[in-house]
Amino acid sequence: MTMQRRYRRGDTGPAVAEIRSKLVLLGLLPAGAHTVAGSGDGDGHGGYADAVFDDSVDLAVRHFQQQRAMTVDGIVGPETYRHLDEARWRLGDRMLSYSIGHPTVGDDVATLQQRLLDMGFDCGRVDGILGPATERALREFQRNYGLGTDGTCGPATFRALDRLARTVVGGQPHAMRESELLHRSGPSLAGKTVVIDPGHGGTDQGVVAHGLTEAEVVWDLARRLEGRLSALGVQAYLTRGLDSDGVGEEDRAAFANATDADLVISLHADRNQSPRASGVSSYYYGSGSDRYGRRSPTGEHFASLVQRELVARTGLVDGRTHGKAWTLLRRTRMPAVRIELGYLTNAEDAARLAGSEFRDHAAESIVVALQRLYLPPDEDVPTGMLRLPVFT
Ligand SMILES: [Zn+2]
């Protein structure tokens, strides 16, 4: 329905009923107070044609116009009506996709754009209009989160956005670590969910040394890891986008919990005042070394597997595994391991980390450790021997 004329206080009729119902839907007008003096014929549905643009409607319209930064005049003309129509859409109400010539417009599109921007996917301005830039950002998001990159915002994408939104809002209460259901879906990696956490990002670049930036190095490594995992049928999620800013450890942990992942792999590179400090270390959740200390047995096991493979396949010095109560390790409900892959402050480590071949070896080491984690003990093979399919 398009609105040709302008409606104001005192008007009546079906168009006013339409306006009223939209305002009710938006919570700006109480439901039920629909009819007017004169329509009380008692049949219960006489209010439609007799709906009146009364003071309460006038007030609601003004309120709405103020919310939307429009001219506040209490009059519903084409523009206000269009806004009323767009405002009723909530993300998830309908499938969203780009259509040339007939762009979808609505508050659901604006919400989608805001979420994409929040996660670091550039969709341009938040204008509620699904144009080419929004579609590009949507496809990029889908690719990053292992969804079908069809550029259509459907059920799977809504679910992913919803999970992520909860982490942005921070409303998810931090549940304590639950039982680690290591073998809940069998030895195959396919069907598993892994959260990859590239440390730092945005204005927090982490260690910067020898021409390398930790945030960039671990982002690249995360993408290599993600590609390999996806090829094996693993649902891989990244905790941040390329340029995401201000994603704290709490947010990352909440994100992992929201995805209900099987495992979290956090990627970092280390620094030390001494340029001689070098090597790789892996960390799992563990607090206190006495018998009362808490720890994640699966995390510890996975850390040892990752550590072994990384040392065997990359030649980095073995910095061993350690239990830590760092936020990401502590707040995640599933086993989590943080890998400090070499020291950027060490010239040799930095030179290695700069190479793409090294990064491929590192990514492969992590995938192999993951396979090993889910492998029944009798099928295990010596470290460094497990072969993966070739990725092209
Ligand atoms: Zn770091």
Side-chain angles (χ1 to χ4, degrees), residues 22 25 29 32 66 68 101 113 143 216 246 269 303-304 354 380 388:
K22 286 193 189 309
L25 211 62
L29 200 63
Q66 191 161 29
R68 313 280 289 195
Q113 290 171 327
R143 203 165 57 76
E216 281 172 19
S304 72
D380 211 353
L388 289 173

Side-chain angles (χ1 to χ4, degrees), residues 261-329:
D262 295 280
L263 201 70
V264 178
I265 300 167
S266 183
L267 302 170
H268 286 257
D270 221 336
R271 87 170 93 205
N272 196 282
Q273 293 215 311
S274 165
R276 284 182 305 179
S278 71
V280 54
S281 301
S282 302
Y283 300 86
Y284 56 91
Y285 174 65
S287 66
S289 52
D290 63 9
R291 58 194 287 255
Y292 302 106
R294 293 170 54 87
R295 68 192 180 94
S296 159
T298 308
E300 184 175 14
H301 181 45
F302 181 55
S304 72
L305 293 172
V306 164
Q307 184 68 19
R308 267 166 47 194
E309 295 295 338
L310 280 170
V311 170
R313 290 167 188 259
T314 66
L316 285 172
V317 170
D318 186 359
R320 303 204 304 276
T321 65
H322 311 271
K324 291 283 178 193
W326 293 332
T327 301
L328 182 76
L329 302 177

Side-chain angles (χ1 to χ4, degrees), residues 200 214 268-269 338 340:
H200 310 279
E214 183 185 358
H268 286 257
R338 171 161 163 173
E340 293 280 351

